[in-house]
Amino acid sequence: MEVNAAAGPALAPAQNSDLEVRITKRFSNPEQAFELNVDFRVPPGFTILFGASGAGKTTVLDCIAGLSRPDKGRIAIGEDLFDSEKQRDVPAWKRRIGYVIQDLALFPHLTAEENVAFGLHALGAAERQRRSREMLRTFRVDHLRERRPAQISGGERQRVALARTLITEPRVLLLDEPLAALDRPTKSHILDDLRQWNESHRVPILYVTHSSEEVFALGEQVVVLAAGRIVALGPPHEVMSAPRLETVAQLLGFENIFDATVTSLHEERGTMTCRLDAGPVELETPLVRGDIGSKLRVGIRAGDLLLATESPRGLSARNVVPGTVRRIEQRDVIIAAAIECSGTEFEVHLTLAAREALQLAPGKSVWVVVKTHSCHLMAA
């Protein structure tokens, strides 16, 4: 479905104002109560709203679009759209907010051009046609303008949906996983077009995704949501590459997260040694502020670990830990291996070819290789 809350009567160019969101909304149900409580600002450009299912991401977007009413707070973009203290609540159709979600709602009886022109009913026929064809060209589907939705592919329908929303010059764009069902090349091309459109318009764009790849490809800022609260906010390379909270690490796919204790500091080489509390295994990690005996958490992505079937020599990696293969599981084209190392279990991801080359099987002796900078440190 696509919600076109931008199709109000005004088509003046959008102003480059920040979107301000400070809202609280409570939900009560027999199983569990849920409260959304967020306070953040979206400047012109891409802001990624990232979090697990049920974190409250879609509720945030619905409140901004005017499809759901917060219990209290304020939403503004140059002017107040919602303010509980002033008892102001601008209707969705007057907010000039574009909102595209995964399930499209193109009119099946209209052509692509007619779908895109639908929000321009206040203009004359010639101007509607000119603008719609220009927007179709922007998203590279002008050659499909006479076709109906059933006659074009999923990626082409998504391009038409974006064109229909953006032609109304929204002052905010909300995107709720609009590309989740598309293959990677199609998704990449649409993101390129959307990025190019944004360079000339620079309106606040709030983009919901579960894909860390999309976070780095698009995001100028990322807001991480968990259980209705913001747990991290900042540039993607800071929030995503070196998460300081276990909640963020889990969202980003850190399959290995261990309690640890600092046992020694090596300031001269910018590292320290941490003992994993599950057993005697020690890892050299990047140096952070803290004393010997400090408690912290160490997160390591399964794809950052290497396996060897002979004791490695001549490596730059500081950590080589002997272990035994306990389980092997195939997940699509990835092999997940559980390696037990003196009471600590590592999950390691390999390719199908690597499994065959190493002849991995339960009970086989291996060595887990951990690069120092693959160890991400978090508060305990």
Side-chain angles (χ1 to χ4, degrees):
M1 181 174 113
E2 173 203 356
V3 181
N4 193 355
L11 290 172
Q15 297 179 347
N16 293 337
S17 301
D18 287 4
L19 170 66
E20 302 171 57
V21 181
R22 176 177 50 81
I23 55 174
T24 299
K25 186 173 179 63
R26 296 178 181 86
F27 297 88
S28 297
N29 58 62
E31 298 179 0
Q32 183 180 2
F34 178 83
E35 180 181 273
L36 176 74
N37 192 334
V38 296
D39 185 351
F40 65 100
R41 181 183 293 264
V42 183
F46 282 93
T47 291
I48 303 297
L49 191 57
F50 190 79
S53 297
K57 304 184 299 299
T58 298
T59 300
V60 171
L61 267 57
D62 285 349
C63 288
I64 295 170
L67 304 180
S68 182
R69 182 187 175 95
D71 295 331
K72 62 180 180 180
R74 178 173 179 264
I75 301 169
I77 174 72
E79 63 171 332
D80 291 339
L81 301 179
F82 173 83
D83 192 313
S84 56
E85 293 184 359
K86 298 177 181 177
Q87 296 186 336
R88 177 172 174 79
D89 188 10
V90 176
W93 66 274
K94 288 186 176 181
R95 294 193 179 193
R96 290 185 58 212
I97 291 178
Y99 190 178
V100 182
I101 62 181
Q102 185 175 344
D103 299 321
L104 304 180
L106 297 176
F107 298 114
H109 62 291
L110 299 182
T111 65
E113 182 176 326
E114 291 168 340
N115 264 285
V116 173
F118 184 81
L120 304 178
H121 50 77
L123 303 178
E127 182 64 8
R128 287 201 306 272
Q129 183 184 80
R130 185 190 70 79
R131 291 198 185 191
S132 61
R133 291 189 177 184
E134 180 180 343
M135 187 58 72
L136 286 167
R137 281 195 295 273
T138 296
F139 283 90
R140 294 187 275 189
V141 283
D142 182 50
H143 61 292
L144 304 173
R145 62 177 182 265
E146 298 301 326
R147 298 189 189 180
R148 289 179 169 78
Q151 299 173 311
I152 60 180
S153 70
E156 291 163 345
R157 287 195 296 272
Q158 192 59 272
R159 289 175 182 272
V160 173
L162 286 168
R164 185 172 74 174
T165 298
L166 299 180
I167 201 171
T168 59
E169 297 286 352
R171 52 186 173 182
V172 176
L173 180 60
L174 308 176
L175 301 170
D176 194 352
E177 298 195 86
L179 311 180
L182 304 180
D183 60 72
R184 180 174 292 183
T186 301
K187 182 187 300 185
S188 177
H189 291 146
I190 294 177
L191 290 177
D192 286 342
D193 293 339
L194 189 56
R195 190 184 297 106
Q196 184 174 353
W197 178 88
N198 180 54
E199 287 176 0
S200 59
H201 290 77
R202 296 300 293 176
V203 302
I205 300 175
L206 195 55
Y207 188 103
V208 171
T209 181
H210 285 95
S211 167
S212 56
E213 183 178 334
E214 289 182 17
V215 173
F216 286 109
L218 282 177
E220 298 163 45
Q221 174 181 252
V222 58
V223 178
V224 182
L225 206 61
R229 301 291 193 276
I230 294 173
V231 296
L233 187 154
H237 69 277
E238 292 182 6
V239 174
M240 309 295 278
S241 298
R244 301 302 179 194
L245 294 171
E246 182 176 348
T247 302
V248 181
Q250 291 172 336
L251 289 172
L252 296 176
F254 282 77
E255 295 84 357
N256 301 286
I257 300 178
F258 307 107
D259 292 315
T261 303
V262 178
T263 58
S264 59
L265 306 176
H266 318 292
E267 296 184 7
E268 71 284 357
R269 59 180 187 248
T271 67
M272 62 187 188
T273 301
C274 297
R275 186 184 69 251
L276 305 188
D277 286 356
V281 174
E282 291 191 332
L283 296 178
E284 189 164 319
T285 72
L287 180 68
V288 297
R289 290 184 180 179
D291 299 323
I292 294 175
S294 297
K295 302 289 185 180
L296 43 74
R297 304 274 272 170
V298 178
I300 310 170
R301 288 189 175 93
D304 287 343
L305 297 175
L306 300 177
L307 281 186
T309 53
E310 297 180 359
S311 181
R313 291 185 174 183
L315 293 180
S316 61
R318 304 291 298 182
N319 304 300
V320 179
V321 185
T324 304
V325 178
R326 290 302 180 211
R327 297 181 307 278
I328 296 179
E329 177 185 351
Q330 182 169 341
R331 303 173 185 170
D332 195 16
V333 296
I334 294 295
I335 298 299
I339 313 298
E340 195 274 324
C341 303
S342 301
T344 296
E345 184 170 283
F346 290 92
E347 180 173 332
V348 182
H349 289 176
L350 311 96
T351 63
L352 299 175
R355 179 189 62 181
E356 298 305 318
L358 297 176
Q359 296 183 332
L360 293 182
K364 190 178 184 69
S365 294
V366 293
W367 283 259
V368 179
V369 180
V370 188
K371 293 185 292 184
T372 298
H373 288 283
S374 293
C375 299
H376 297 270
L377 304 177
M378 299 162 278

